[in-house]
Each structure stands twice: as C-alpha cells, then as structure tokens.
Amino acid sequence: MHASQVPSRSGDATHADVIVVGGGLAGMTAAALVARAGRSIVVLEQAQHFGGRAATNVMEGVRFNLGAHALYAGGHACRLFNDLGVPFSGHFPSPGRPLVVSRRGAFRIPSGLRSLVCSSLLSVGEKMSLARLFTTIKRLNTRLLDHVSAQDWIERTAGRGNLALLLGALFRVSTYVADQERLSAGAALDQLRMALADNVLYLDGGWQTLIDGLRKVAADHGAECRTSVRARTVENLTSSVRIHLTDGTELCGGSVILAVPPDTACSLLGMTSDGPLREWLSHQEPVLAACLDIALSRLPRPGDRFALGLDLPTYFSVHSAAARLAADGTAVVHLMKYLRADADEPAAAIEAELEDLLDTVQPGWRPHVVAKRFLPKMTVAHALPRADEGGLAGRPKPSLAGWPNVFVAGDWVGPEGMLADAATASAEQAARCALAVFDDRHAHLIVASQREDVLDGSR
C-alpha cells in the first residue's frame, strides 16, 4: 500500500484525499474508483451495514433483495463492475409462460412473432403496430422525445386500447415508474430499448454481492470503510472540506462525495430554501413501489413465472428460477405495485392486492410459505425523470455551483441512465471530479515548489 493511500491522523481529526458519505451502491462505487486511482479515502455509512437499498437480507435461509432488483446487462453499472473486477454471477430471467393480468383475465404476453400472431390480447391492427415498433425502436432518436411524456407518446403510437396498456406495462417494468403522465418518453424508451436489446440479470446471492465486491476493491486499495458513523454537517473550506460528525468528532478531506438522498445532501450542506439544489428538489417526486417478497416451498404452477399487470401497475416474477437465492426447490418470488408519489393508498389494501395477484398466477400458494415480507413504500429512485425538465438532462450535475470541493452521486444525479446505471454513472463522474481537484491542487503545489527552488537558486 502506498503511503499516500493511508488516511493520516492529526489530533482528533482524520485527513483523507477524498471522503465519501454514504455506503450504498453509488458511494461504494465512488470509493472503489478513487481508491483504485491511488488516493486515500474514507467512507462513512450511518447504518450498521453497507448496502443501502442494494442490501440483501437473509430470512429463513432465503436471500431477499429489498424488492425486485434487476441489473441491466447492457447498462453502465454492468460495464463498470466488470472494469473494476467486481465478481458477480447473474442469469437472464426464466419467465416460463409470461402473462399479462387484467381485470378481465390473464393473457399470454406476445414475446415473439409466433406468440404475437396467436395472441388474443391484441387486435390485428395492434399486432401490426407492435411488430413495426419492435423493428423501429432501435432507430428512434429518443432525445427528440425527452420533453414528451411517456403517456403522450403511447397514445400517439398506440391509441388507447390494449396495445397502449401493454406499452405502459412495459414502460413500468423497465423504469419502475407508475406516473407516466410526468415520465419523459425519451428516458422510458431508452430503458425499454436496453431491456429488449440486452435483457437484465437476476444476481446469484442478491445485490449484496455487488456491495461486498465494491467494498473489497476499495479496501484492497487502501480505503477505510466505517459503519455506524453519521455526518452532521459539511463545511466547505477554501481548498478542503471538514465533516462534522454527530459524535462531536471531525474529519478533514481534500473533497467530499455525498452519495446520499438529495434532501440529505441539502441538509448536510446547510442549503437554504432558495439554493439551486433545494429549489430543484422542491418540485421533485420520488419513484416508489410497494414490494411483497415471498419464499415458497413449491410453486403450484411451475410454468407461470412472470406476470405484468395490464390495467393495474403490478408485477410478479420468480427470481429463483434464474438466480441462486435459496436452497434448491425453494421459490423466491417478488411482487410489486408501482406507486404514484401523489397517491396515498392504505398499506393493507396494497398488500391484499398483491396477494390477489399471486392467487391469480399461483393459486394455492398460501400453504407453501417459507418466508414473507411486505415493504409498503420503498424508494426506488429519488427523482422521476420528468418530461417538463427534459428527462435525464434535468437532473443535477455531480459538481455543485459554489461548492468547488463537494460532489454528489446517486440515482438522482447526472444525465446518464436510470436506477443502478444512474447511481454508478454519477459515482464515476463524481470520482473523476474529486480526483481532478486533487490533481489540480497537486500541480499547483509542484509549480509553487519549482518557483521557490528558482528563487532560492537566484539568491
């Protein structure tokens, strides 16, 4: 380990080149990148364990992610994990006979030419329109649709029949967004196109394997990773930052990456209501979902392993059909209802609705429950890519105006991707910014030192 990688101690303060606040996916990605570049780094996580919303919990020997998680095989996160050497194994979903479920019954999802022709879900005209869409979606210039809502694009493309409902369901499953009146069509189509082109991966062992892998990369390169540490405020100095912790101690660093929710970032920085980030946050809505996670000793209908709600924003998938999450024979099932931030639904009613969906797809499941958990309001992402803000381009940049040593990262930051891809892409950009600050400062010191040498020589 190089000496510059080890955080130095002076009195009660610890100094590092970079401090990361937040030990979730974005924070651990940033930490791994900075540490690999040879800079000293300290990671602060307020919880007892690293992971945030990428944590995996074990119940009755079953590994449950916090709701249904899928890694886009063609996305930024997957490429970056491979570049960092983070070990993970994943497999494409194994949907069996995929269904769409509506108030009128269940239908097979047309997933290819044969199933499209045979489907009773769509009219002849709708089948032709869907076939055309599958052939043209690769060529769409989605940037021209960033300011168009997903709902407007669906109605222009498919009218208001079952094809429109099916496209809405496909947008929901690829973005997790229920509010398609505000969702940018450009962002939604990017997600759907990536899913159709490269599919997604369900991960063996759950998403905690990614967090553990990132932490190992960071630690192997000298990072100091601390849990149960809560930051209270961030003080931006002329050429450094000082982090004040709730236990009364302080940490000093050349720069800080705040891999935290946007409201937490504003609070840490003491931003007033008229600050740019606080102003942006005041009209944002998070992406939310209710999650029912269930392990069954057996599936009553082994062939029915995937279903989407057609006229209801619901989802069902057997993740253990593709990923190792429990002992052989145990089925790990995730159900979700995509929620609107402006709706207030009773948790008990949502849970009953998801159990009704499971009754439809897997009748007779109740005697086979091994473990069960209901999460009534999970934050999937902290900001909806809105059409009226230009989609992904409307999100804050990793660098904050007026805060030269402070950078932010997370699924709400930067113009690239959604979900984990946004978290990792912004973390990479924030890490580059932090490293650039260090390099610029180091270059100035070298120049200053050379000038001193010249002056000493002239004397």
PDB file of all heavy atoms in Angstrom, residues 115-142:
ATOM      1  N   SER A 115     -45.976 -15.870 -31.007  1.00  0.00           N
ATOM      2  CA  SER A 115     -46.903 -15.538 -29.924  1.00  0.00           C
ATOM      3  C   SER A 115     -47.692 -14.270 -30.247  1.00  0.00           C
ATOM      4  O   SER A 115     -48.829 -14.111 -29.815  1.00  0.00           O
ATOM      5  CB  SER A 115     -46.139 -15.379 -28.606  1.00  0.00           C
ATOM      6  OG  SER A 115     -45.187 -14.344 -28.696  1.00  0.00           O
ATOM      7  N   LEU A 116     -47.086 -13.373 -31.026  1.00  0.00           N
ATOM      8  CA  LEU A 116     -47.786 -12.155 -31.423  1.00  0.00           C
ATOM      9  C   LEU A 116     -48.971 -12.488 -32.309  1.00  0.00           C
ATOM     10  O   LEU A 116     -50.071 -11.966 -32.134  1.00  0.00           O
ATOM     11  CB  LEU A 116     -46.823 -11.213 -32.149  1.00  0.00           C
ATOM     12  CG  LEU A 116     -47.392  -9.893 -32.661  1.00  0.00           C
ATOM     13  CD1 LEU A 116     -47.936  -9.070 -31.499  1.00  0.00           C
ATOM     14  CD2 LEU A 116     -46.327  -9.099 -33.416  1.00  0.00           C
ATOM     15  N   VAL A 117     -48.763 -13.383 -33.274  1.00  0.00           N
ATOM     16  CA  VAL A 117     -49.838 -13.775 -34.184  1.00  0.00           C
ATOM     17  C   VAL A 117     -50.959 -14.477 -33.441  1.00  0.00           C
ATOM     18  O   VAL A 117     -52.141 -14.265 -33.724  1.00  0.00           O
ATOM     19  CB  VAL A 117     -49.276 -14.678 -35.308  1.00  0.00           C
ATOM     20  CG1 VAL A 117     -50.410 -15.282 -36.140  1.00  0.00           C
ATOM     21  CG2 VAL A 117     -48.323 -13.891 -36.202  1.00  0.00           C
ATOM     22  N   CYS A 118     -50.573 -15.307 -32.457  1.00  0.00           N
ATOM     23  CA  CYS A 118     -51.571 -16.120 -31.752  1.00  0.00           C
ATOM     24  C   CYS A 118     -52.264 -15.393 -30.606  1.00  0.00           C
ATOM     25  O   CYS A 118     -53.269 -15.880 -30.085  1.00  0.00           O
ATOM     26  CB  CYS A 118     -50.920 -17.397 -31.222  1.00  0.00           C
ATOM     27  SG  CYS A 118     -50.241 -18.478 -32.498  1.00  0.00           S
ATOM     28  N   SER A 119     -51.737 -14.251 -30.204  1.00  0.00           N
ATOM     29  CA  SER A 119     -52.256 -13.590 -29.013  1.00  0.00           C
ATOM     30  C   SER A 119     -53.682 -13.098 -29.218  1.00  0.00           C
ATOM     31  O   SER A 119     -54.018 -12.499 -30.242  1.00  0.00           O
ATOM     32  CB  SER A 119     -51.361 -12.400 -28.646  1.00  0.00           C
ATOM     33  OG  SER A 119     -51.937 -11.667 -27.587  1.00  0.00           O
ATOM     34  N   SER A 120     -54.519 -13.357 -28.202  1.00  0.00           N
ATOM     35  CA  SER A 120     -55.891 -12.825 -28.220  1.00  0.00           C
ATOM     36  C   SER A 120     -55.973 -11.470 -27.526  1.00  0.00           C
ATOM     37  O   SER A 120     -57.031 -10.853 -27.478  1.00  0.00           O
ATOM     38  CB  SER A 120     -56.841 -13.812 -27.531  1.00  0.00           C
ATOM     39  OG  SER A 120     -56.457 -14.006 -26.173  1.00  0.00           O
ATOM     40  N   LEU A 121     -54.852 -11.008 -27.004  1.00  0.00           N
ATOM     41  CA  LEU A 121     -54.826  -9.733 -26.288  1.00  0.00           C
ATOM     42  C   LEU A 121     -55.009  -8.560 -27.230  1.00  0.00           C
ATOM     43  O   LEU A 121     -55.699  -7.593 -26.912  1.00  0.00           O
ATOM     44  CB  LEU A 121     -53.492  -9.600 -25.537  1.00  0.00           C
ATOM     45  CG  LEU A 121     -53.207  -8.275 -24.846  1.00  0.00           C
ATOM     46  CD1 LEU A 121     -54.208  -8.032 -23.718  1.00  0.00           C
ATOM     47  CD2 LEU A 121     -51.772  -8.244 -24.308  1.00  0.00           C
ATOM     48  N   LEU A 122     -54.392  -8.648 -28.432  1.00  0.00           N
ATOM     49  CA  LEU A 122     -54.341  -7.516 -29.343  1.00  0.00           C
ATOM     50  C   LEU A 122     -55.182  -7.761 -30.587  1.00  0.00           C
ATOM     51  O   LEU A 122     -55.316  -8.898 -31.058  1.00  0.00           O
ATOM     52  CB  LEU A 122     -52.891  -7.239 -29.754  1.00  0.00           C
ATOM     53  CG  LEU A 122     -51.881  -7.014 -28.618  1.00  0.00           C
ATOM     54  CD1 LEU A 122     -50.484  -6.843 -29.194  1.00  0.00           C
ATOM     55  CD2 LEU A 122     -52.281  -5.820 -27.769  1.00  0.00           C
ATOM     56  N   SER A 123     -55.705  -6.671 -31.154  1.00  0.00           N
ATOM     57  CA  SER A 123     -56.406  -6.754 -32.432  1.00  0.00           C
ATOM     58  C   SER A 123     -55.391  -6.921 -33.555  1.00  0.00           C
ATOM     59  O   SER A 123     -54.173  -6.780 -33.348  1.00  0.00           O
ATOM     60  CB  SER A 123     -57.221  -5.482 -32.661  1.00  0.00           C
ATOM     61  OG  SER A 123     -56.344  -4.373 -32.855  1.00  0.00           O
ATOM     62  N   VAL A 124     -55.866  -7.189 -34.753  1.00  0.00           N
ATOM     63  CA  VAL A 124     -54.959  -7.365 -35.900  1.00  0.00           C
ATOM     64  C   VAL A 124     -54.152  -6.083 -36.123  1.00  0.00           C
ATOM     65  O   VAL A 124     -52.940  -6.117 -36.338  1.00  0.00           O
ATOM     66  CB  VAL A 124     -55.763  -7.728 -37.160  1.00  0.00           C
ATOM     67  CG1 VAL A 124     -54.854  -7.729 -38.390  1.00  0.00           C
ATOM     68  CG2 VAL A 124     -56.419  -9.097 -36.995  1.00  0.00           C
ATOM     69  N   GLY A 125     -54.822  -4.929 -36.057  1.00  0.00           N
ATOM     70  CA  GLY A 125     -54.123  -3.665 -36.251  1.00  0.00           C
ATOM     71  C   GLY A 125     -53.089  -3.414 -35.167  1.00  0.00           C
ATOM     72  O   GLY A 125     -51.991  -2.910 -35.440  1.00  0.00           O
ATOM     73  N   GLU A 126     -53.418  -3.765 -33.921  1.00  0.00           N
ATOM     74  CA  GLU A 126     -52.473  -3.580 -32.829  1.00  0.00           C
ATOM     75  C   GLU A 126     -51.270  -4.502 -32.973  1.00  0.00           C
ATOM     76  O   GLU A 126     -50.136  -4.117 -32.660  1.00  0.00           O
ATOM     77  CB  GLU A 126     -53.173  -3.813 -31.488  1.00  0.00           C
ATOM     78  CG  GLU A 126     -54.150  -2.704 -31.100  1.00  0.00           C
ATOM     79  CD  GLU A 126     -54.906  -3.012 -29.833  1.00  0.00           C
ATOM     80  OE1 GLU A 126     -55.222  -4.203 -29.590  1.00  0.00           O
ATOM     81  OE2 GLU A 126     -55.193  -2.068 -29.064  1.00  0.00           O
ATOM     82  N   LYS A 127     -51.514  -5.713 -33.459  1.00  0.00           N
ATOM     83  CA  LYS A 127     -50.399  -6.641 -33.684  1.00  0.00           C
ATOM     84  C   LYS A 127     -49.438  -6.085 -34.734  1.00  0.00           C
ATOM     85  O   LYS A 127     -48.211  -6.162 -34.580  1.00  0.00           O
ATOM     86  CB  LYS A 127     -50.926  -8.006 -34.121  1.00  0.00           C
ATOM     87  CG  LYS A 127     -51.674  -8.757 -33.033  1.00  0.00           C
ATOM     88  CD  LYS A 127     -52.284 -10.041 -33.573  1.00  0.00           C
ATOM     89  CE  LYS A 127     -53.100 -10.748 -32.492  1.00  0.00           C
ATOM     90  NZ  LYS A 127     -53.749 -11.981 -32.986  1.00  0.00           N
ATOM     91  N   MET A 128     -49.982  -5.504 -35.781  1.00  0.00           N
ATOM     92  CA  MET A 128     -49.135  -4.914 -36.821  1.00  0.00           C
ATOM     93  C   MET A 128     -48.356  -3.722 -36.281  1.00  0.00           C
ATOM     94  O   MET A 128     -47.164  -3.551 -36.569  1.00  0.00           O
ATOM     95  CB  MET A 128     -49.991  -4.501 -38.019  1.00  0.00           C
ATOM     96  CG  MET A 128     -50.639  -5.675 -38.752  1.00  0.00           C
ATOM     97  SD  MET A 128     -51.744  -5.145 -40.081  1.00  0.00           S
ATOM     98  CE  MET A 128     -50.598  -4.309 -41.177  1.00  0.00           C
ATOM     99  N   SER A 129     -49.008  -2.910 -35.455  1.00  0.00           N
ATOM    100  CA  SER A 129     -48.338  -1.742 -34.873  1.00  0.00           C
ATOM    101  C   SER A 129     -47.216  -2.172 -33.945  1.00  0.00           C
ATOM    102  O   SER A 129     -46.121  -1.580 -33.939  1.00  0.00           O
ATOM    103  CB  SER A 129     -49.343  -0.887 -34.102  1.00  0.00           C
ATOM    104  OG  SER A 129     -50.308  -0.324 -34.971  1.00  0.00           O
ATOM    105  N   LEU A 130     -47.439  -3.221 -33.140  1.00  0.00           N
ATOM    106  CA  LEU A 130     -46.408  -3.695 -32.222  1.00  0.00           C
ATOM    107  C   LEU A 130     -45.232  -4.285 -32.991  1.00  0.00           C
ATOM    108  O   LEU A 130     -44.066  -4.053 -32.630  1.00  0.00           O
ATOM    109  CB  LEU A 130     -46.990  -4.732 -31.264  1.00  0.00           C
ATOM    110  CG  LEU A 130     -46.036  -5.264 -30.187  1.00  0.00           C
ATOM    111  CD1 LEU A 130     -45.499  -4.116 -29.332  1.00  0.00           C
ATOM    112  CD2 LEU A 130     -46.725  -6.312 -29.321  1.00  0.00           C
ATOM    113  N   ALA A 131     -45.516  -5.018 -34.053  1.00  0.00           N
ATOM    114  CA  ALA A 131     -44.441  -5.585 -34.873  1.00  0.00           C
ATOM    115  C   ALA A 131     -43.593  -4.471 -35.489  1.00  0.00           C
ATOM    116  O   ALA A 131     -42.356  -4.568 -35.526  1.00  0.00           O
ATOM    117  CB  ALA A 131     -45.027  -6.475 -35.958  1.00  0.00           C
ATOM    118  N   ARG A 132     -44.240  -3.396 -35.954  1.00  0.00           N
ATOM    119  CA  ARG A 132     -43.492  -2.257 -36.507  1.00  0.00           C
ATOM    120  C   ARG A 132     -42.638  -1.598 -35.440  1.00  0.00           C
ATOM    121  O   ARG A 132     -41.486  -1.215 -35.688  1.00  0.00           O
ATOM    122  CB  ARG A 132     -44.454  -1.231 -37.118  1.00  0.00           C
ATOM    123  CG  ARG A 132     -45.001  -1.613 -38.488  1.00  0.00           C
ATOM    124  CD  ARG A 132     -45.644  -0.406 -39.175  1.00  0.00           C
ATOM    125  NE  ARG A 132     -46.747   0.140 -38.410  1.00  0.00           N
ATOM    126  CZ  ARG A 132     -48.016  -0.262 -38.541  1.00  0.00           C
ATOM    127  NH1 ARG A 132     -48.323  -1.206 -39.430  1.00  0.00           N
ATOM    128  NH2 ARG A 132     -48.970   0.293 -37.812  1.00  0.00           N
ATOM    129  N   LEU A 133     -43.191  -1.477 -34.237  1.00  0.00           N
ATOM    130  CA  LEU A 133     -42.444  -0.844 -33.151  1.00  0.00           C
ATOM    131  C   LEU A 133     -41.196  -1.646 -32.803  1.00  0.00           C
ATOM    132  O   LEU A 133     -40.114  -1.082 -32.602  1.00  0.00           O
ATOM    133  CB  LEU A 133     -43.334  -0.701 -31.917  1.00  0.00           C
ATOM    134  CG  LEU A 133     -42.663  -0.093 -30.667  1.00  0.00           C
ATOM    135  CD1 LEU A 133     -42.173   1.317 -30.954  1.00  0.00           C
ATOM    136  CD2 LEU A 133     -43.621  -0.104 -29.490  1.00  0.00           C
ATOM    137  N   PHE A 134     -41.320  -2.967 -32.755  1.00  0.00           N
ATOM    138  CA  PHE A 134     -40.170  -3.802 -32.430  1.00  0.00           C
ATOM    139  C   PHE A 134     -39.051  -3.633 -33.451  1.00  0.00           C
ATOM    140  O   PHE A 134     -37.870  -3.754 -33.126  1.00  0.00           O
ATOM    141  CB  PHE A 134     -40.579  -5.270 -32.360  1.00  0.00           C
ATOM    142  CG  PHE A 134     -41.256  -5.658 -31.061  1.00  0.00           C
ATOM    143  CD1 PHE A 134     -42.040  -6.801 -30.990  1.00  0.00           C
ATOM    144  CD2 PHE A 134     -41.114  -4.880 -29.920  1.00  0.00           C
ATOM    145  CE1 PHE A 134     -42.652  -7.170 -29.798  1.00  0.00           C
ATOM    146  CE2 PHE A 134     -41.723  -5.236 -28.733  1.00  0.00           C
ATOM    147  CZ  PHE A 134     -42.502  -6.387 -28.664  1.00  0.00           C
ATOM    148  N   THR A 135     -39.409  -3.344 -34.699  1.00  0.00           N
ATOM    149  CA  THR A 135     -38.378  -3.207 -35.736  1.00  0.00           C
ATOM    150  C   THR A 135     -37.810  -1.786 -35.811  1.00  0.00           C
ATOM    151  O   THR A 135     -36.701  -1.600 -36.302  1.00  0.00           O
ATOM    152  CB  THR A 135     -38.945  -3.591 -37.121  1.00  0.00           C
ATOM    153  OG1 THR A 135     -40.051  -2.746 -37.440  1.00  0.00           O
ATOM    154  CG2 THR A 135     -39.394  -5.050 -37.129  1.00  0.00           C
ATOM    155  N   THR A 136     -38.543  -0.805 -35.312  1.00  0.00           N
ATOM    156  CA  THR A 136     -38.089   0.589 -35.452  1.00  0.00           C
ATOM    157  C   THR A 136     -37.532   1.193 -34.171  1.00  0.00           C
ATOM    158  O   THR A 136     -36.874   2.232 -34.223  1.00  0.00           O
ATOM    159  CB  THR A 136     -39.245   1.495 -35.935  1.00  0.00           C
ATOM    160  OG1 THR A 136     -40.321   1.445 -34.977  1.00  0.00           O
ATOM    161  CG2 THR A 136     -39.758   1.034 -37.289  1.00  0.00           C
ATOM    162  N   ILE A 137     -37.757   0.550 -33.027  1.00  0.00           N
ATOM    163  CA  ILE A 137     -37.376   1.167 -31.763  1.00  0.00           C
ATOM    164  C   ILE A 137     -35.869   1.398 -31.676  1.00  0.00           C
ATOM    165  O   ILE A 137     -35.404   2.349 -31.054  1.00  0.00           O
ATOM    166  CB  ILE A 137     -37.877   0.321 -30.569  1.00  0.00           C
ATOM    167  CG1 ILE A 137     -37.718   1.114 -29.261  1.00  0.00           C
ATOM    168  CG2 ILE A 137     -37.158  -1.025 -30.491  1.00  0.00           C
ATOM    169  CD1 ILE A 137     -38.389   0.447 -28.073  1.00  0.00           C
ATOM    170  N   LYS A 138     -35.078   0.548 -32.336  1.00  0.00           N
ATOM    171  CA  LYS A 138     -33.620   0.709 -32.299  1.00  0.00           C
ATOM    172  C   LYS A 138     -33.176   2.008 -32.977  1.00  0.00           C
ATOM    173  O   LYS A 138     -32.124   2.552 -32.648  1.00  0.00           O
ATOM    174  CB  LYS A 138     -32.929  -0.474 -32.970  1.00  0.00           C
ATOM    175  CG  LYS A 138     -33.119  -1.810 -32.256  1.00  0.00           C
ATOM    176  CD  LYS A 138     -32.417  -2.919 -33.019  1.00  0.00           C
ATOM    177  CE  LYS A 138     -32.635  -4.265 -32.342  1.00  0.00           C
ATOM    178  NZ  LYS A 138     -31.982  -5.375 -33.100  1.00  0.00           N
ATOM    179  N   ARG A 139     -33.975   2.474 -33.935  1.00  0.00           N
ATOM    180  CA  ARG A 139     -33.569   3.639 -34.721  1.00  0.00           C
ATOM    181  C   ARG A 139     -34.169   4.947 -34.203  1.00  0.00           C
ATOM    182  O   ARG A 139     -33.884   6.010 -34.756  1.00  0.00           O
ATOM    183  CB  ARG A 139     -33.962   3.445 -36.185  1.00  0.00           C
ATOM    184  CG  ARG A 139     -33.353   2.209 -36.830  1.00  0.00           C
ATOM    185  CD  ARG A 139     -33.536   2.231 -38.340  1.00  0.00           C
ATOM    186  NE  ARG A 139     -34.932   2.234 -38.725  1.00  0.00           N
ATOM    187  CZ  ARG A 139     -35.656   1.132 -38.916  1.00  0.00           C
ATOM    188  NH1 ARG A 139     -35.092  -0.060 -38.746  1.00  0.00           N
ATOM    189  NH2 ARG A 139     -36.914   1.206 -39.276  1.00  0.00           N
ATOM    190  N   LEU A 140     -34.987   4.882 -33.179  1.00  0.00           N
ATOM    191  CA  LEU A 140     -35.619   6.092 -32.659  1.00  0.00           C
ATOM    192  C   LEU A 140     -34.586   7.043 -32.076  1.00  0.00           C
ATOM    193  O   LEU A 140     -33.691   6.625 -31.326  1.00  0.00           O
ATOM    194  CB  LEU A 140     -36.628   5.731 -31.565  1.00  0.00           C
ATOM    195  CG  LEU A 140     -38.016   5.265 -31.987  1.00  0.00           C
ATOM    196  CD1 LEU A 140     -38.819   4.880 -30.748  1.00  0.00           C
ATOM    197  CD2 LEU A 140     -38.750   6.350 -32.758  1.00  0.00           C
ATOM    198  N   ASN A 141     -34.691   8.315 -32.399  1.00  0.00           N
ATOM    199  CA  ASN A 141     -33.874   9.342 -31.747  1.00  0.00           C
ATOM    200  C   ASN A 141     -34.617   9.770 -30.486  1.00  0.00           C
ATOM    201  O   ASN A 141     -35.469  10.664 -30.518  1.00  0.00           O
ATOM    202  CB  ASN A 141     -33.651  10.530 -32.676  1.00  0.00           C
ATOM    203  CG  ASN A 141     -32.747  11.584 -32.061  1.00  0.00           C
ATOM    204  OD1 ASN A 141     -32.401  11.518 -30.885  1.00  0.00           O
ATOM    205  ND2 ASN A 141     -32.357  12.566 -32.857  1.00  0.00           N
ATOM    206  N   THR A 142     -34.295   9.117 -29.395  1.00  0.00           N
ATOM    207  CA  THR A 142     -35.051   9.335 -28.164  1.00  0.00           C
ATOM    208  C   THR A 142     -34.828  10.725 -27.571  1.00  0.00           C
ATOM    209  O   THR A 142     -35.650  11.194 -26.776  1.00  0.00           O
ATOM    210  CB  THR A 142     -34.696   8.260 -27.120  1.00  0.00           C
ATOM    211  OG1 THR A 142     -33.273   8.183 -26.984  1.00  0.00           O
ATOM    212  CG2 THR A 142     -35.225   6.900 -27.556  1.00  0.00           C
TER     213      THR A 142
END
